[in-house]
Amino acid sequence: MAPAPLLSCARLACAVVVLSGVAQAESSANSATISANVGPLRSNKGVLACRLYASADGFPITATGAFSQRVRISGNSARCVFENVMPGTYAIVVHHDENDNHQFDKNLLGMPLEGYGASNNHTHALSAPTWQESKFVVARGEARALAISMRY
């Protein structure tokens, strides 16, 4: 009689593995990938900091609610890739952290000392880009590629 519960547990474990594989495949099919090719960068020093926002909350200043990553620079460009993104409206902001201090450096007047950019390439000399001009829509299963220009 002991083998029956053991057999049941083995079947249950197999069912869990099969179902989790199906759920993962379904999740991957419903999700999207967003990549941002960023450049030209004025140097290959430091890293490129990238943030993906799913709403206007905190855009583009705070990291609250944003998916962040830091990527190495290759030549005069870099590429950020956000995988398994659910369909929706997003915006990306990037900055060239040349001294790799994890901050967006500004002078005493608040003017940027490091390069920056945003999706849809709306950057301004005297103000930050807005959510409205930076947002884009990603569909289910889409592989969305953006080109972001840097402003120094």
Side-chain angles (χ1 to χ4, degrees), residues 104-146:
F104 183 49
D105 297 327
K106 299 175 187 173
N107 67 17
L108 294 174
L109 300 175
M111 301 298 293
L113 295 173
E114 298 176 311
Y116 61 95
S119 45
N120 299 332
N121 292 312
H122 289 278
T123 55
H124 311 283
L126 299 176
S127 65
T130 67
W131 169 261
Q132 286 299 324
E133 59 195 12
S134 302
K135 68 181 181 175
F136 58 93
V137 176
V138 177
R140 179 173 63 95
E142 184 178 3
R144 183 73 178 263
L146 305 170

Side-chain angles (χ1 to χ4, degrees), residues 10-149:
R11 285 184 184 159
L12 179 61
C14 285
V16 168
V17 168
V18 168
L19 289 176
S20 68
V22 169
Q24 195 171 37
E26 186 176 314
S27 174
S28 295
N30 288 327
S31 65
T33 300
I34 301 170
S35 60
N37 297 310
V38 183
L41 302 168
R42 71 176 167 197
S43 76
N44 62 358
K45 295 178 182 175
V47 297
L48 183 73
C50 307
R51 285 192 193 141
L52 176 69
Y53 290 83
S55 73
D57 295 339
F59 180 85
I61 306 301
T62 67
T64 305
F67 302 100
S68 299
Q69 60 179 251
R70 298 170 64 77
V71 297
R72 292 182 186 255
I73 296 168
S74 176
N76 69 344
S77 65
R79 183 173 188 226
C80 303
V81 179
F82 297 94
E83 297 178 321
N84 297 318
V85 176
M86 296 312 296
T89 302
Y90 295 93
I92 296 176
V93 66
V94 298
H95 101 265
H96 183 186
D97 189 3
E98 288 182 275
N99 58 5
D100 201 9
N101 68 349
H102 296 257
Q103 295 179 14
F104 183 49
D105 297 327
K106 299 175 187 173
N107 67 17
L108 294 174
L109 300 175
M111 301 298 293
L113 295 173
E114 298 176 311
Y116 61 95
S119 45
N120 299 332
N121 292 312
H122 289 278
T123 55
H124 311 283
L126 299 176
S127 65
T130 67
W131 169 261
Q132 286 299 324
E133 59 195 12
S134 302
K135 68 181 181 175
F136 58 93
V137 176
V138 177
R140 179 173 63 95
E142 184 178 3
R144 183 73 178 263
L146 305 170
I148 298 179
S149 301

